[in-house]
Each structure stands twice: as C-alpha cells, then as structure tokens.
Amino acid sequence: MAVATPYNDLQPVRRIDEAEAARISNRIDEELKAEREAIRRRKSQKRDVKVMLLGQAESGKSTLQKQFQLYYASQTLEKERPAWRPVVHFNIIKAVRMILEELDFEFTQSPAQAQAQAQTQQAQAPVRPPLPQPPQQRTQPMSSTARGKLPALPGPPLAPNGPRAAGTPASAFIVANGSNSASGSASASGSGTGGGWQEDLAQLRTKLLPLVAVEDALARDLSGGVTVTGAGGRAGVFVRSGWQALVAPVASRAWAGAFGGGGGGGNSGNNANGSNGNAHAGGGPVVNDLVARMLAATKDEVAALWRHPSVRTLVKYRKLRLDESAAFFLENVYRIAEPDYLPATEDLLNVRLQTLGVKEHSFDISLSGTHVNWLLYDVGGARGQRHAWVPYFDDATAIIFLAPISAFDQYLEEDPRTNRIDDSLQLFTAICSNKLLKNTHLVLLLNKTDLLRQKLAAGIKVRKYITSYGDRPNNYEDVSEYFRAHFLQVHRRNDISKRALYAHFTSMLDIKATQKIIVNVGEAIIRSYITDAGLT
C-alpha cells in the first residue's frame, strides 16, 4: 500500500528546483543578450554594399557579373558550369536557325523583288541627324536580328570579291565570287556553280532542321517552363534567379538549388524552389540530353554550314547579324559537341542569355579590415523591363552603367528606329538626373572595345550611322574618345549632385584587364561607402 509523502517534506526540494530554474533562465537570458550583441557587432563590421549593373540589353551586364563571380567567388562558378551546358547548346542552335532563315530569304528572292525592295528602302530611309534611322524592314518573315535594318551595300554589280549591288540576289553574287573565295576550300563538291551550292545548302538544311526544331522546347526549358516571346516574335530564353536548378543534371541539383536562392524580391517570386514545380518534374535533363545528342550527331553539318562560302559571303558583305558570340561557338562546335563537354570559362563569358527581372548575387569582400557583403544586382535591360529597376534605387550604394560603344551600327530589337548609342545616351541621362540616385556613386564602363576595334578594322564607317561624327578619322582612338566625350558631357549637364564619375574602357572578355578594373572600381566604391557611413 502506497503512503503519501507529507506536503511539508516536499518544500525544500521545490525551493531547490525553483532556484535552479531561475539560474537557468537567467543564464539563457544572458546568452540571448550576448548573441544579440554579437549579431549587432557582426552587422556593424559587415555591412551591405548594394551595386546595380544598369544598361540596355546586350550591354555586357551579365558578363560583368560573371567576372565579379570569377574574382570573388570562383568556387560557385565552378559548381555552376554544368548548368551552362544547355545554354551554350542553345546559342549554337539559335545561330544555325538564323543562318538558315537568311539563306532561305536570299535564295528565294528574285532579282526583281530585290530591286523593288532596294528602291523602297532608298525612298523611305530617313536622314535626320545626328543619328540616322535605318531603312524600312522587309515584309518577309525574318529572325529577330538587325540585318534588315542596314542600308543597301554600295558597289558595282557582281564586282569580283566585292559587295554585291542592291537588287542582286545572293545566289548570283555568290556564284560570281565563289571561285576566288577564301573559304572555297571548305565547300562541298559542286561549289563552282550556283546550282551545286544551292544543292549543298539544301542538303545541310534538311539535316539541320531537326536540330533547329528543338530550339523553342529548349528555350521553354531554360526559361522555367514559361514561354516568353521576344521582340522578333520568337520564344527567347529569359532567365530568372534559380534557373540553374532547373537545367542541371540530377546529381547537381542540390548545389544549384542553394546557389539560386537569393533573389532579393526582384525575381517575381520565381526562385529555385518555386520554379521547380510541375513544369520541370524530370523534364529539364531529358530535353537537355536530347539536344546534346542531336548536336553531337549534326556537328559536321553545323561546321559545314558555318564554313560554307555562301554563308561567309553573307556574313562579310551582307552583315548577317548573328549574336556577337555566335561565331565563337560555331568555330568551337566540335569541342562543344563532345559527350563529356563542360563549359570553359571562356564559354561562360561568351554565352548570351537574357535576364528577366532583377537577379541578386552576393560576395563577401574584405578591405583594410572592414568586411563587406557586396550585393550585385543584374537587371534585364530591354525597355519593357526597366521599370523593375526603380524599387532598388532607394538604397543603392553605387551604379555601374555599361554602354556598348561597338553598337554604333545597331538598332534596338524592341524599337528598330532607335540607334543603340542614342538609347544608351538617353538612358544614361535618365540615370544621372534621377533624384533617387543623387547620393549613389556612379561608374561608367564604355564596353565592348574589342568589337569596336574589329568593326573599324573591317572598314565600317561611323559617320554612316552617326552623321554628327562627320569627317573625323575612322580609327579606334578618335572614335572611342568621341563616344567618351558624349557620355561625359551627358554627366556634366544632367548630374543633379555633381558627383565624381569613374569612367573606363572595357572588354568583358578580357579576364585580366576586366578584373583589374573590378578591383579598382570595387575599392573606390567601398572606400567611398566607408567614408560616407562614418566607419573610418
């Protein structure tokens, strides 16, 4: 039989328990207080420096972001390489499709149609200074390139090894110049006659059509299962934060999901976890593997198409407007088509991938004992996406504005009547005069100087597209200084806070030179930030 313990006998034990609980509670409170103080100290020692990469589409913002990543967080770039494999494949497929579209147009156009088109373009081409507008676009179905926006090529009809006259179809021009073409040795049998060349191209086209047919499926896959139509009417690849998780091999998905997590709020709620839903339940790798096998099976045809004299002629004389990196990938198709292909750093810097919304990238930087969390925001630069920049202006530490000065002969994809240099100047004017950015440090990168040198060396005249350039020498030194002076003038006239402007000429594909600029620019921004924040 159990006997109950008297109440008074329990009191000492209860008093001891209460005292112990009080001591534990106090210790927990002290630990929490110490933890809060440690967090406060860490925050005071490691502050956020928010830097926005601004500029029009294809200005080099994403390439600069990868250069930052290569310098400050190279280990994350190493993990990311497998996810870029299908993106490189997409770049090749897109280039092949654009070449075939141009060949279809050129070889199906009669001389009478070409002559009528040339006369229409000459009659309707505007001539307003300082930035001339392009001629009227062709009415036939075209790709989203700017090739139909260029003036007719001058020169006598069928001049040997020279540009063909307006109204002369490509087939006749290529036949007349084919025997002396530098690429003639690369052509297949029958290249000495127009009929033979057309037959060769028809065979290549037939073999490459299945590869081209998967472009839209791959674009949807890379875009997170969402079809986004570009200005040219085709489905394009517009990526958001976390896209790597959707396209990486199954074994790599763990790191990809973690890598793409930070989107800051500019990613439209589409992160690695949110986007990896029904649209990609096992579908991504299947599509990617299919494309890789198809490219491996047709690599000879891709190489033959790129090396064909007719394509070389169109690129040289008709200015077939492929993406700027298309030639690089087409030249390396055999390496890229290998089964164990893993994108090299040069591939990552050359790849073209449009950004949708705003993507946040974080890097830990230490300078003179001060630890900084460098938040880099890569934004979509098309006109329809620029409204998404504004919410990030209020607390931005610095703006790095990229202006591609090689684009003097190009026009906006979304507005074919606006020269890209003109658009960059207008956009830079808006940035300098924006009141939300009056306390933000400003850096100007006059980008793609390597392409500018190539265009000028090829004899492309700046005054043909920018009439205000006049009779100045058509060399790199004068042209680059002319553009630099215009951007500096915009800053002097429109900057509301009269702040300093750090200006640099850059080529984002030059790793050594770009990373030197990154260090100089980064240190200047951080030192100014530390001074302004009173941390010195």
Side-chain angles (χ1 to χ4, degrees):
M1 178 177 177
V3 179
T5 303
Y7 176 78
N8 291 335
D9 293 343
L10 295 175
Q11 295 308 305
V13 177
R14 183 180 297 275
R15 283 194 294 270
I16 294 174
D17 291 344
E18 290 176 350
E20 180 66 18
R23 284 195 299 271
I24 293 174
S25 177
N26 292 335
R27 187 170 68 248
I28 292 175
D29 290 341
E30 291 174 359
E31 290 175 353
L32 290 174
K33 183 178 179 180
E35 184 177 355
R36 286 194 296 268
E37 180 64 21
I39 293 175
R40 188 191 66 79
R41 286 197 302 268
R42 285 198 299 270
K43 286 185 176 181
S44 65
Q45 294 174 358
K46 184 177 179 181
R47 299 173 179 269
D48 289 344
V49 175
K50 299 182 179 180
V51 180
M52 297 192 69
L53 306 181
L54 302 184
Q56 63 185 207
E58 299 185 60
S59 60
K61 299 183 298 297
S62 295
T63 307
L64 178 58
Q65 175 269 312
K66 281 179 273 190
Q67 287 277 19
F68 268 98
Q69 187 178 356
L70 182 64
Y71 187 81
Y72 289 113
S74 58
Q75 70 281 0
T76 63
L77 196 62
E78 289 300 320
K79 294 179 181 179
E80 193 179 343
R81 290 183 191 274
W84 287 97
R85 186 171 182 249
V87 182
V88 173
H89 293 164
F90 178 83
N91 276 241
I92 291 180
I93 295 172
K94 180 182 177 182
V96 170
R97 186 256 303 167
M98 294 170 71
I99 292 173
L100 292 179
E101 283 185 353
E102 178 66 16
L103 291 172
D104 284 348
F105 175 83
E106 296 292 350
F107 282 101
T108 57
Q109 187 182 35
S110 68
Q113 290 174 324
Q115 184 65 40
Q117 174 196 318
Q119 292 175 350
T120 301
Q121 289 178 339
Q122 292 175 359
Q124 298 188 10
V127 291
R128 63 170 177 84
L131 292 167
Q133 299 174 355
Q136 182 180 3
Q137 287 182 273
R138 292 182 283 197
T139 57
Q140 289 83 352
M142 296 175 59
S143 64
S144 60
T145 62
R147 61 180 181 272
K149 308 177 182 71
L150 294 172
L153 290 167
L158 300 180
N161 293 320
R164 61 186 168 105
T168 304
S171 55
F173 175 71
I174 294 169
V175 170
N177 293 280
S179 59
N180 294 325
S181 172
S183 303
S185 60
S187 63
S189 60
S191 62
T193 63
W197 278 19
Q198 291 191 44
E199 183 179 348
D200 294 341
L201 291 171
Q203 293 176 358
L204 290 174
R205 181 181 185 277
T206 300
K207 294 179 180 179
L208 290 171
L209 280 180
L211 179 66
V212 174
V214 300
E215 180 187 2
D216 287 348
L218 184 56
R220 287 193 300 272
D221 199 72
L222 294 173
S223 299
V226 178
T227 301
V228 183
T229 303
R234 288 193 63 89
V237 176
F238 296 82
V239 296
R240 299 158 294 183
S241 181
W243 66 269
Q244 296 95 336
L246 307 178
V247 300
V250 175
S252 302
R253 288 189 176 184
W255 69 259
F259 177 81
N267 298 310
S268 304
N270 296 293
N271 54 32
N273 296 326
S275 297
N276 197 11
N278 297 332
H280 278 272
V286 174
V287 175
N288 300 341
D289 291 344
L290 173 63
V291 171
R293 291 195 300 269
M294 294 179 69
L295 181 61
T298 57
K299 60 181 181 293
D300 291 333
E301 287 74 20
V302 172
L305 178 69
W306 176 239
R307 296 171 183 170
H308 199 282
S310 61
V311 176
R312 295 295 191 179
T313 302
L314 290 176
V315 170
K316 182 176 182 179
Y317 297 118
R318 289 291 292 174
K319 299 191 182 301
L320 168 61
R321 289 300 181 90
L322 302 172
D323 286 346
E324 291 168 347
S325 59
F328 170 82
F329 290 120
L330 291 170
E331 292 287 351
N332 288 275
V333 66
Y334 284 106
R335 173 176 63 86
I336 294 170
E338 289 294 323
D340 58 348
Y341 166 69
L342 189 66
T345 299
E346 193 175 14
D347 298 335
L348 300 184
L349 296 178
N350 273 280
V351 78
R352 170 69 181 132
L353 194 59
Q354 292 177 278
T355 303
L356 183 65
V358 180
K359 295 172 62 180
E360 180 187 272
H361 305 268
S362 177
F363 309 102
D364 290 332
I365 299 176
S366 179
L367 179 65
S368 301
T370 301
H371 298 281
V372 172
N373 184 30
W374 184 283
L375 297 177
L376 198 65
Y377 295 92
D378 182 16
V379 303
R383 279 187 172 180
Q385 298 189 51
R386 295 174 186 175
H387 64 279
W389 304 356
V390 179
Y392 296 83
F393 284 176
D394 193 31
D395 59 348
T397 306
I399 297 294
I400 300 180
F401 187 90
L402 290 92
I405 57 177
S406 64
F408 65 87
D409 61 339
Q410 296 174 320
Y411 300 86
L412 290 182
E413 185 177 15
E414 57 268 38
D415 181 7
R417 298 183 68 84
T418 299
N419 185 283
R420 289 187 60 190
I421 293 289
D422 191 17
D423 178 68
S424 280
L425 287 167
Q426 294 176 19
L427 185 54
F428 190 57
T429 300
I431 295 299
C432 291
S433 59
N434 193 301
K435 294 181 179 179
L436 294 175
L437 300 173
K438 64 180 180 180
N439 297 319
T440 302
H441 302 287
L442 196 56
V443 178
L444 171 65
L445 300 185
L446 301 169
N447 195 27
K448 302 193 177 183
T449 56
D450 54 332
L451 294 178
L452 176 62
R453 291 180 186 273
Q454 292 175 17
K455 289 183 177 182
L456 298 177
I460 301 177
K461 302 295 183 182
V462 175
R463 66 171 178 266
K464 183 177 181 181
Y465 301 92
I466 301 180
T467 55
S468 60
Y469 189 73
D471 294 327
R472 294 176 177 85
N474 202 68
N475 57 55
Y476 172 79
E477 289 72 19
D478 289 276
V479 171
S480 59
E481 183 55 35
Y482 174 81
F483 290 138
R484 177 178 178 273
H486 272 266
F487 279 95
L488 294 181
Q489 184 182 63
V490 165
H491 175 257
R492 284 195 301 269
R493 291 181 175 179
N494 299 278
D495 190 66
I496 57 176
S497 55
K498 306 301 179 184
R499 69 200 127 176
L501 175 66
Y502 307 93
H504 301 269
F505 289 108
T506 57
S507 169
M508 290 302 149
L509 300 181
D510 188 333
I511 296 177
K512 186 176 180 179
T514 301
Q515 292 193 350
K516 183 178 180 180
I517 292 174
I518 284 175
V519 172
N520 293 337
V521 168
E523 288 185 353
I525 291 174
I526 293 174
R527 291 186 189 281
S528 298
Y529 169 77
I530 292 173
T531 301
D532 294 345
L535 300 177
T536 54

